[in-house]
């Protein structure tokens, strides 16, 4: 639509592109002590995986990173998200890091179980429980 094209109208209401709300941020990251918590929000699927992947890859760069991925704010995720979780877990382990997973939605837990990921990713109900599972580091 160029600047000379009038907005589409439906009766008295008009639809303007600038009236469409901006897309919600899908990744929210914060620090909790020595841990980086990454909340995944909204719908995590093939159409949003690049944005989510960028957010997760940022936390895997530091050697020895302790990361907790929180799926509680996610409304939906598909196999692309599962692949991303496995890749993030593997990258962290390869760089002497660790990943915990928080997941409470029964449907999400079922998907993780059916994909055979609950044994490796070991989801728990809270960020605190995930942090408690992290390996303890020896002081240097």
């Amino acid at each position: 639509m160029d600047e000379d094209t009038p907005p589409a109208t439906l009766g008295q209401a008009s639809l303007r592109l600038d009236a469409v709300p901006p897309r919600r941020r899908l990744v929210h990251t914060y620090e909790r002590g020595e841990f980086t918590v990454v909340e995944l929000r909204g719908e995590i699927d093939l159409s949003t995986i690049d944005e989510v992947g960028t957010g997760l890859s940022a936390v895997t760069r530091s050697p020895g990173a302790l990361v907790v991925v929180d799926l509680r704010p996610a409304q939906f995720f598909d196999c692309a998200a599962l692949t991303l979780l496995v890749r993030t877990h593997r990258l962290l382990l390869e760089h002497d890091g660790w990943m915990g997973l928080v997941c409470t939605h029964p449907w999400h837990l079922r998907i993780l179980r059916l994909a055979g990921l609950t044994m490796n990713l070991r989801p728990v109900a809270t960020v605190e429980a995930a942090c408690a599972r992290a390996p303890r580091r020896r002081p240097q």
Side-chain angles (χ1 to χ4, degrees):
M1 177 186 288
D2 60 32
E3 294 179 8
D4 297 329
T5 305
T9 59
L10 180 62
Q12 296 285 13
S14 67
L15 175 64
R16 295 178 44 107
L17 292 178
D18 60 344
V20 176
R23 198 163 86 175
R24 196 173 137 188
R25 217 170 72 200
L26 298 172
V27 179
H28 174 70
T29 304
Y30 64 92
E31 299 297 320
R32 182 183 174 92
E34 61 185 325
F35 297 89
T36 301
V37 180
V38 182
E39 290 180 351
L40 302 185
R41 300 173 171 184
E43 296 184 6
I44 314 302
D45 58 21
L46 193 56
S47 69
T48 60
I49 204 68
D50 288 340
E51 179 183 342
V52 175
T54 300
L56 278 174
S57 68
V59 300
T60 62
R61 292 187 185 127
S62 300
L66 300 173
V67 177
V68 175
V69 176
D70 189 350
L71 291 177
R72 291 177 300 178
Q75 294 149 354
F76 171 84
F77 64 85
D78 67 4
C79 60
L82 293 177
T83 300
L84 184 62
L85 288 173
V86 170
R87 186 179 75 201
T88 301
H89 183 250
R90 181 179 43 84
L91 285 171
L92 285 163
L93 290 176
E94 286 174 0
H95 293 100
D96 297 320
W98 175 87
M99 185 183 105
L101 181 66
V102 178
C103 183
T104 57
H105 296 293
W107 182 248
H108 296 171
L109 289 166
R110 183 171 187 230
I111 291 168
L112 289 167
R113 189 180 76 252
L114 291 172
L117 297 176
T118 53
M119 293 302 290
N120 287 334
L121 299 181
R122 300 178 62 204
V124 294
T126 65
V127 171
E128 294 78 15
C131 293
R133 282 193 170 173
R136 297 294 161 217
R137 302 201 188 273
R138 286 179 261 178
Q140 296 182 2

